[in-house]
Protein backbone atom coordinates (compact mmCIF):
# COMPACT_ATOMS: atom_id res chain seq x y z
CA UNK A 1 0.00 0.00 0.00
CA UNK A 2 1.38 3.39 -1.01
CA UNK A 3 1.71 6.05 1.70
CA UNK A 4 0.01 9.38 1.01
CA UNK A 5 2.55 12.20 0.46
CA UNK A 6 0.87 14.33 3.15
CA UNK A 7 1.28 11.55 5.74
CA UNK A 8 4.95 11.18 4.80
CA UNK A 9 5.44 14.95 5.21
CA UNK A 10 3.68 14.99 8.63
CA UNK A 11 5.87 12.13 9.85
CA UNK A 12 8.96 14.06 8.84
CA UNK A 13 7.71 17.24 10.55
CA UNK A 14 7.10 15.24 13.76
CA UNK A 15 10.62 13.85 13.55
CA UNK A 16 11.89 17.38 12.99
CA UNK A 17 10.26 18.60 16.26
CA UNK A 18 11.77 15.72 18.26
CA UNK A 19 15.21 16.36 16.80
CA UNK A 20 15.00 20.06 17.69
CA UNK A 21 14.09 19.24 21.30
CA UNK A 22 16.98 16.76 21.58
CA UNK A 23 19.36 19.27 19.98
CA UNK A 24 18.30 22.06 22.34
CA UNK A 25 18.89 19.83 25.40
CA UNK A 26 22.28 18.68 24.14
CA UNK A 27 23.64 22.12 23.28
CA UNK A 28 22.24 23.67 26.46
CA UNK A 29 24.03 21.10 28.63
CA UNK A 30 27.25 21.30 26.64
CA UNK A 31 27.34 25.10 26.78
CA UNK A 32 27.10 25.00 30.58
CA UNK A 33 29.51 22.19 31.42
CA UNK A 34 32.50 23.49 29.45
CA UNK A 35 35.22 25.04 31.67
CA UNK A 36 35.17 28.79 32.36
CA UNK A 37 32.82 31.16 34.13
CA UNK A 38 30.68 33.02 31.56
CA UNK A 39 29.90 35.78 34.07
CA UNK A 40 33.59 36.40 34.67
CA UNK A 41 34.34 36.37 30.92
CA UNK A 42 31.54 38.84 30.26
CA UNK A 43 32.69 41.28 32.95
CA UNK A 44 36.40 40.94 32.34
CA UNK A 45 39.31 40.31 34.73
CA UNK A 46 38.86 43.61 36.61
CA UNK A 47 35.36 42.74 37.91
CA UNK A 48 34.96 42.15 41.63
CA UNK A 49 33.64 38.81 43.00
CA UNK A 50 30.45 40.62 44.06
CA UNK A 51 29.85 41.86 40.52
CA UNK A 52 30.50 38.39 39.08
CA UNK A 53 28.10 36.83 41.58
CA UNK A 54 25.43 39.41 40.72
CA UNK A 55 25.67 38.52 37.02
CA UNK A 56 25.56 34.80 37.84
CA UNK A 57 22.33 35.35 39.77
CA UNK A 58 20.94 37.48 36.95
CA UNK A 59 21.70 34.67 34.45
CA UNK A 60 20.20 32.04 36.74
CA UNK A 61 23.45 30.06 36.85
CA UNK A 62 22.89 29.29 40.54
CA UNK A 63 19.80 27.19 39.74
CA UNK A 64 19.84 23.43 38.95
CA UNK A 65 20.56 22.64 35.29
CA UNK A 66 17.07 21.22 34.70
CA UNK A 67 15.44 24.41 35.99
CA UNK A 68 17.78 26.50 33.84
CA UNK A 69 16.83 24.51 30.75
CA UNK A 70 13.09 24.70 31.40
CA UNK A 71 13.36 28.47 31.93
CA UNK A 72 15.34 28.81 28.71
CA UNK A 73 12.99 26.58 26.67
CA UNK A 74 9.92 28.45 27.92
CA UNK A 75 11.40 31.82 26.96
CA UNK A 76 12.71 30.50 23.63
CA UNK A 77 9.21 29.37 22.65
CA UNK A 78 8.11 32.98 23.21
CA UNK A 79 10.95 34.27 21.01
CA UNK A 80 13.21 35.32 23.90
CA UNK A 81 16.68 33.81 23.46
CA UNK A 82 18.21 35.86 26.26
CA UNK A 83 20.74 38.68 26.38
CA UNK A 84 24.14 38.48 24.72
CA UNK A 85 26.86 39.01 27.31
CA UNK A 86 29.16 40.49 24.67
CA UNK A 87 26.95 42.81 22.61
CA UNK A 88 24.63 43.56 25.57
CA UNK A 89 21.64 43.24 23.25
CA UNK A 90 18.94 40.65 22.85
CA UNK A 91 20.36 37.62 21.00
CA UNK A 92 17.32 37.60 18.74
CA UNK A 93 18.26 41.14 17.64
CA UNK A 94 21.82 40.05 16.81
CA UNK A 95 20.51 37.06 14.88
CA UNK A 96 18.09 39.25 12.96
CA UNK A 97 21.02 41.32 11.73
CA UNK A 98 23.45 38.49 10.95
CA UNK A 99 21.36 35.50 9.80
CA UNK A 100 20.06 37.10 6.55
CA UNK A 101 23.62 37.89 5.42
CA UNK A 102 24.76 34.28 5.80
CA UNK A 103 21.49 32.86 4.51
CA UNK A 104 21.80 34.92 1.32
CA UNK A 105 25.38 33.75 0.89
CA UNK A 106 24.57 30.08 1.46
CA UNK A 107 21.47 30.07 -0.75
CA UNK A 108 23.40 31.50 -3.70
CA UNK A 109 26.13 28.90 -3.08
CA UNK A 110 23.52 26.13 -3.30
CA UNK A 111 22.23 27.68 -6.55
CA UNK A 112 25.79 27.62 -7.92
CA UNK A 113 26.07 23.97 -6.89
CA UNK A 114 22.88 23.03 -8.71
CA UNK A 115 23.50 25.11 -11.83
CA UNK A 116 27.15 24.12 -12.28
CA UNK A 117 27.51 20.65 -10.77
CA UNK A 118 24.44 18.80 -12.07
CA UNK A 119 24.88 19.68 -15.78
CA UNK A 120 28.62 19.07 -15.51
CA UNK A 121 28.03 15.64 -13.94
CA UNK A 122 25.55 14.73 -16.70
CA UNK A 123 27.97 15.80 -19.45
CA UNK A 124 30.83 13.88 -17.83
CA UNK A 125 28.72 10.71 -17.56
CA UNK A 126 27.61 11.06 -21.17
CA UNK A 127 31.25 11.55 -22.27
CA UNK A 128 32.68 8.88 -20.00
CA UNK A 129 36.45 8.27 -20.37
CA UNK A 130 36.76 11.05 -22.93
CA UNK A 131 38.81 14.24 -22.51
CA UNK A 132 35.92 16.28 -21.08
CA UNK A 133 35.31 13.57 -18.47
CA UNK A 134 38.96 13.55 -17.38
CA UNK A 135 39.10 17.36 -17.16
CA UNK A 136 35.82 17.48 -15.22
CA UNK A 137 37.02 14.84 -12.75
CA UNK A 138 40.24 16.77 -12.20
CA UNK A 139 38.36 20.02 -11.60
CA UNK A 140 35.82 18.42 -9.25
CA UNK A 141 38.63 16.77 -7.26
CA UNK A 142 40.39 20.15 -7.06
CA UNK A 143 37.22 21.73 -5.69
CA UNK A 144 36.96 19.08 -2.97
CA UNK A 145 40.56 19.04 -1.72
CA UNK A 146 41.42 22.76 -1.77
CA UNK A 147 40.14 24.74 1.24
CA UNK A 148 37.50 27.34 0.49
CA UNK A 149 39.52 30.20 1.98
CA UNK A 150 42.23 29.64 -0.65
CA UNK A 151 39.62 30.00 -3.38
CA UNK A 152 38.36 33.13 -1.64
CA UNK A 153 41.78 34.78 -1.45
CA UNK A 154 42.63 33.74 -5.02
CA UNK A 155 39.42 35.26 -6.36
CA UNK A 156 40.11 38.48 -4.44
CA UNK A 157 43.65 38.68 -5.84
CA UNK A 158 42.43 38.06 -9.39
CA UNK A 159 39.74 40.74 -9.07
CA UNK A 160 42.25 43.21 -7.63
CA UNK A 161 44.89 42.34 -10.24
CA UNK A 162 42.49 42.90 -13.11
CA UNK A 163 41.56 46.32 -11.65
CA UNK A 164 38.01 45.64 -12.76
CA UNK A 165 36.42 47.53 -9.90
CA UNK A 166 34.65 44.32 -8.89
CA UNK A 167 33.78 44.53 -5.14
CA UNK A 168 35.78 42.18 -2.93
CA UNK A 169 34.55 43.08 0.59
CA UNK A 170 31.24 43.87 2.26
CA UNK A 171 27.64 43.41 1.11
CA UNK A 172 27.15 46.83 -0.52
CA UNK A 173 29.29 49.73 -1.71
CA UNK A 174 30.04 52.14 1.12
CA UNK A 175 28.69 55.14 -0.79
CA UNK A 176 25.34 53.49 -1.50
CA UNK A 177 22.48 54.85 0.60
CA UNK A 178 20.27 52.05 1.86
CA UNK A 179 18.45 51.84 5.18
CA UNK A 180 17.73 48.12 4.88
CA UNK A 181 14.58 46.16 4.17
CA UNK A 182 12.15 43.89 5.99
CA UNK A 183 13.87 40.56 5.25
CA UNK A 184 17.53 41.57 5.50
CA UNK A 185 18.13 39.72 2.21
CA UNK A 186 19.52 42.53 0.07
CA UNK A 187 18.65 40.89 -3.25
CA UNK A 188 15.02 40.47 -2.22
CA UNK A 189 14.69 43.77 -0.33
CA UNK A 190 16.07 45.70 -3.29
CA UNK A 191 13.44 44.15 -5.56
CA UNK A 192 10.63 44.76 -3.05
CA UNK A 193 11.64 48.41 -2.69
CA UNK A 194 12.05 48.92 -6.45
CA UNK A 195 15.77 49.59 -5.95
CA UNK A 196 17.33 47.51 -8.69
CA UNK A 197 20.60 49.37 -8.16
CA UNK A 198 20.74 47.85 -4.64
CA UNK A 199 19.91 44.38 -5.96
CA UNK A 200 22.55 44.52 -8.67
CA UNK A 201 25.16 45.93 -6.31
CA UNK A 202 24.39 43.26 -3.70
CA UNK A 203 24.59 40.56 -6.38
CA UNK A 204 28.02 41.83 -7.43
CA UNK A 205 29.21 41.59 -3.83
CA UNK A 206 27.70 38.10 -3.45
CA UNK A 207 29.14 36.34 -6.48
CA UNK A 208 32.77 35.92 -5.41
CA UNK A 209 32.16 34.75 -1.80
CA UNK A 210 29.30 32.48 -2.85
CA UNK A 211 31.39 30.93 -5.60
CA UNK A 212 34.33 30.38 -3.22
CA UNK A 213 32.01 28.83 -0.62
CA UNK A 214 30.37 26.50 -3.13
CA UNK A 215 33.53 25.04 -4.69
CA UNK A 216 33.74 21.97 -2.43
CA UNK A 217 30.03 21.29 -2.87
CA UNK A 218 30.31 21.66 -6.65
CA UNK A 219 33.10 19.07 -6.66
CA UNK A 220 31.12 16.59 -4.56
CA UNK A 221 27.79 16.99 -6.35
CA UNK A 222 29.50 16.73 -9.75
CA UNK A 223 31.12 13.43 -8.84
CA UNK A 224 27.93 12.06 -7.27
CA UNK A 225 25.82 13.07 -10.28
CA UNK A 226 28.30 11.45 -12.68
CA UNK A 227 28.38 8.21 -10.68
CA UNK A 228 24.58 8.05 -10.39
CA UNK A 229 24.12 8.66 -14.11
CA UNK A 230 26.63 5.95 -15.05
CA UNK A 231 25.07 3.46 -12.65
CA UNK A 232 21.54 4.11 -13.88
CA UNK A 233 22.63 3.82 -17.51
CA UNK A 234 23.17 0.11 -16.81
CA UNK A 235 19.64 -0.48 -15.50
CA UNK A 236 17.51 -2.92 -17.49
CA UNK A 237 14.76 -0.46 -18.36
CA UNK A 238 17.31 2.05 -19.71
CA UNK A 239 18.97 -0.64 -21.83
CA UNK A 240 15.52 -1.64 -23.09
CA UNK A 241 14.75 1.95 -24.08
CA UNK A 242 18.04 2.12 -25.97
CA UNK A 243 17.29 -1.17 -27.75
CA UNK A 244 13.97 0.29 -28.94
CA UNK A 245 15.82 3.23 -30.48
CA UNK A 246 14.61 5.92 -28.07
CA UNK A 247 16.77 9.04 -28.67
CA UNK A 248 19.62 9.54 -26.19
CA UNK A 249 18.49 13.00 -25.11
CA UNK A 250 14.99 11.67 -24.28
CA UNK A 251 16.51 8.88 -22.14
CA UNK A 252 18.75 11.37 -20.31
CA UNK A 253 16.25 14.17 -19.63
CA UNK A 254 13.06 12.12 -19.20
CA UNK A 255 14.31 9.05 -17.34
CA UNK A 256 17.95 9.16 -16.23
CA UNK A 257 18.08 12.71 -14.83
CA UNK A 258 15.08 12.20 -12.56
CA UNK A 259 16.33 8.81 -11.38
CA UNK A 260 19.84 10.14 -10.81
CA UNK A 261 18.80 13.30 -8.94
CA UNK A 262 18.17 11.55 -5.59
CA UNK A 263 21.81 11.19 -4.55
CA UNK A 264 22.83 14.78 -5.54
CA UNK A 265 19.77 16.17 -3.73
CA UNK A 266 20.73 14.29 -0.56
CA UNK A 267 24.30 15.58 -0.78
CA UNK A 268 23.08 19.15 -1.32
CA UNK A 269 20.90 18.91 1.79
CA UNK A 270 23.89 17.80 3.85
CA UNK A 271 26.08 20.44 2.21
CA UNK A 272 23.67 23.16 3.29
CA UNK A 273 24.58 22.61 6.95
CA UNK A 274 28.30 22.41 6.25
CA UNK A 275 28.10 25.63 4.23
CA UNK A 276 26.71 27.46 7.27
CA UNK A 277 29.46 26.00 9.44
CA UNK A 278 32.22 26.77 6.93
CA UNK A 279 30.96 30.21 6.00
CA UNK A 280 32.79 31.94 8.84
CA UNK A 281 36.11 31.69 6.94
CA UNK A 282 34.58 33.21 3.81
CA UNK A 283 32.83 35.87 5.88
CA UNK A 284 36.10 36.90 7.45
CA UNK A 285 37.96 37.03 4.13
CA UNK A 286 35.21 39.13 2.52
CA UNK A 287 34.35 41.17 5.67
CA UNK A 288 30.82 39.84 5.40
CA UNK A 289 29.61 40.25 8.99
CA UNK A 290 27.21 37.34 8.98
CA UNK A 291 25.81 34.68 11.27
CA UNK A 292 28.78 32.29 11.00
CA UNK A 293 31.36 34.84 12.15
CA UNK A 294 28.95 35.92 14.92
CA UNK A 295 28.80 32.30 16.07
CA UNK A 296 32.59 31.96 16.07
CA UNK A 297 32.96 35.13 18.13
CA UNK A 298 30.32 33.88 20.58
CA UNK A 299 32.14 30.57 21.07
CA UNK A 300 35.51 32.26 21.62
CA UNK A 301 34.00 34.63 24.22
CA UNK A 302 31.81 31.93 25.83
CA UNK A 303 28.67 33.97 25.30
CA UNK A 304 26.29 31.24 26.51
CA UNK A 305 22.98 32.56 25.22
CA UNK A 306 24.49 33.46 21.85
CA UNK A 307 26.24 30.08 21.48
CA UNK A 308 23.07 28.16 22.30
CA UNK A 309 21.02 30.28 19.90
CA UNK A 310 23.59 29.97 17.09
CA UNK A 311 23.66 26.17 17.31
CA UNK A 312 19.88 25.98 17.47
CA UNK A 313 19.47 28.19 14.42
CA UNK A 314 22.15 26.24 12.51
CA UNK A 315 20.41 22.99 13.48
CA UNK A 316 17.07 24.46 12.43
CA UNK A 317 18.44 25.32 8.98
CA UNK A 318 19.99 21.87 8.66
CA UNK A 319 16.76 20.10 9.58
CA UNK A 320 14.64 22.31 7.32
CA UNK A 321 17.03 21.72 4.40
CA UNK A 322 16.90 17.97 4.93
CA UNK A 323 13.13 18.07 5.37
CA UNK A 324 12.80 19.81 2.00
CA UNK A 325 15.17 17.29 0.42
CA UNK A 326 13.21 14.37 1.94
CA UNK A 327 9.95 15.77 0.61
CA UNK A 328 11.43 16.28 -2.87
CA UNK A 329 12.88 12.77 -2.92
CA UNK A 330 9.58 11.30 -1.74
CA UNK A 331 7.78 13.10 -4.54
CA UNK A 332 10.38 12.10 -7.14
CA UNK A 333 10.58 8.43 -6.13
CA UNK A 334 7.20 6.86 -5.14
CA UNK A 335 8.99 3.62 -4.19
CA UNK A 336 10.12 5.31 -0.95
CA UNK A 337 6.50 5.99 0.05
CA UNK A 338 5.59 2.35 -0.56
CA UNK A 339 8.60 1.20 1.46
CA UNK A 340 7.69 3.43 4.44
CA UNK A 341 4.06 2.32 4.33
CA UNK A 342 4.97 -1.34 4.90
Amino acid sequence: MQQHPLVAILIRIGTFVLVMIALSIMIFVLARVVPGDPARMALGPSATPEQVQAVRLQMGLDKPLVVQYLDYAGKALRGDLGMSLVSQRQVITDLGQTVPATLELVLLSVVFMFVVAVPLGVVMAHSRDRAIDHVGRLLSLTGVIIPSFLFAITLQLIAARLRSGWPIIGRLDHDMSWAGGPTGLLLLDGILAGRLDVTLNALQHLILPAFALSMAGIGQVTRITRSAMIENQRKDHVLTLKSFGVPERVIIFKYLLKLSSIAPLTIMGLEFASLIGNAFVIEMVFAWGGFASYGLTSVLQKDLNAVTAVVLVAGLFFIIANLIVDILITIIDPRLRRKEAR
Side-chain angles (χ1 to χ4, degrees):
M1 181 180 175
Q2 183 169 309
Q3 192 177 52
H4 193 280
L6 183 59
V7 175
I9 292 170
L10 289 176
I11 290 174
R12 280 166 174 76
I13 291 175
T15 308
F16 151 79
V17 173
L18 292 176
V19 170
M20 280 305 295
I21 292 173
L23 179 63
S24 67
I25 294 174
M26 186 176 68
I27 189 57
F28 187 86
V29 172
L30 285 176
R32 276 154 180 78
V33 298
V34 293
D37 187 341
R40 168 63 69 184
M41 296 185 75
L43 294 173
S46 59
T48 64
E50 291 76 16
Q51 291 173 320
V52 173
Q53 182 61 21
V55 172
R56 286 180 57 80
L57 293 174
Q58 180 187 349
M59 295 172 63
L61 296 176
D62 57 320
K63 299 177 183 175
L65 202 57
V66 175
V67 177
Q68 289 184 46
Y69 173 75
L70 292 176
D71 286 346
Y72 181 84
K75 290 178 181 176
L77 289 175
R78 298 193 296 272
D80 180 5
L81 296 174
M83 182 78 75
S84 166
L85 298 177
V86 176
S87 68
Q88 294 297 314
R89 297 184 302 181
Q90 287 290 323
V91 171
I92 196 75
T93 304
D94 289 342
L95 294 180
Q97 293 178 352
T98 55
V99 167
T102 299
L103 188 59
E104 200 165 46
L105 180 63
V106 169
L107 287 176
L108 189 63
S109 300
V110 173
V111 170
F112 279 153
M113 262 192 253
F114 183 78
V115 171
V116 176
V118 174
L120 183 58
V122 172
V123 171
M124 287 166 60
H126 185 62
S127 310
R128 187 183 180 192
D129 293 333
R130 296 179 195 163
I132 191 170
D133 183 31
H134 295 311
V135 173
R137 288 163 66 184
L138 179 63
L139 292 177
S140 61
L141 183 62
T142 303
V144 172
I145 62 176
I146 294 183
S148 57
F149 74 89
L150 279 183
F151 283 116
I153 294 172
T154 303
L155 290 174
Q156 278 187 326
L157 291 175
I158 292 173
R161 181 71 178 174
L162 294 177
R163 300 177 187 275
S164 59
W166 195 270
I168 56 175
I169 59 170
R171 298 181 69 198
L172 280 177
D173 287 346
H174 292 299
D175 57 354
M176 176 163 282
S177 62
W178 174 248
T183 69
L185 304 172
L186 296 181
L187 296 181
L188 181 60
D189 287 341
I191 294 172
L192 293 176
R195 291 283 305 270
L196 289 182
D197 58 328
V198 171
T199 300
L200 292 175
N201 193 268
L203 183 60
Q204 271 190 311
H205 284 76
L206 258 174
I207 286 176
L208 292 187
F211 192 64
L213 184 61
S214 66
M215 286 303 293
I218 288 175
Q220 281 191 329
V221 175
T222 300
R223 294 166 68 85
I224 293 291
T225 304
R226 174 186 178 276
S227 300
M229 289 287 291
I230 291 174
E231 183 181 345
N232 288 322
Q233 281 175 346
R234 301 172 183 148
K235 296 280 177 68
D236 291 342
H237 69 284
V238 176
L239 295 175
T240 303
L241 290 170
K242 286 182 179 178
S243 68
F244 278 99
V246 177
E248 190 79 14
R249 66 176 182 283
V250 175
I251 295 176
I252 291 176
F253 291 105
K254 190 172 181 180
Y255 300 100
L256 276 178
L257 197 54
K258 181 179 176 182
L259 195 61
S260 306
S261 61
I262 295 174
L265 274 175
T266 306
I267 295 297
M268 288 171 72
L270 296 174
E271 276 292 319
F272 188 85
S274 65
L275 287 179
I276 292 177
N278 295 331
F280 74 92
V281 177
I282 301 297
E283 290 184 0
M284 288 185 172
V285 173
F286 287 93
W288 198 253
F291 168 74
S293 52
Y294 174 74
L296 179 64
T297 305
S298 303
V299 171
L300 293 177
Q301 298 182 334
K302 206 173 186 296
D303 190 347
L304 286 187
N305 290 332
V307 169
T308 308
V310 164
V311 176
L312 284 178
V313 171
L316 183 66
F317 282 138
F318 175 76
I319 291 169
I320 290 175
N322 280 278
L323 179 65
I324 293 172
V325 169
D326 279 351
I327 292 171
L328 289 176
I329 291 174
T330 306
I331 293 171
I332 291 172
D333 192 351
R335 292 174 301 175
L336 294 177
R337 297 200 295 272
R338 287 195 291 269
K339 190 182 294 183
E340 290 176 1
R342 287 172 188 164

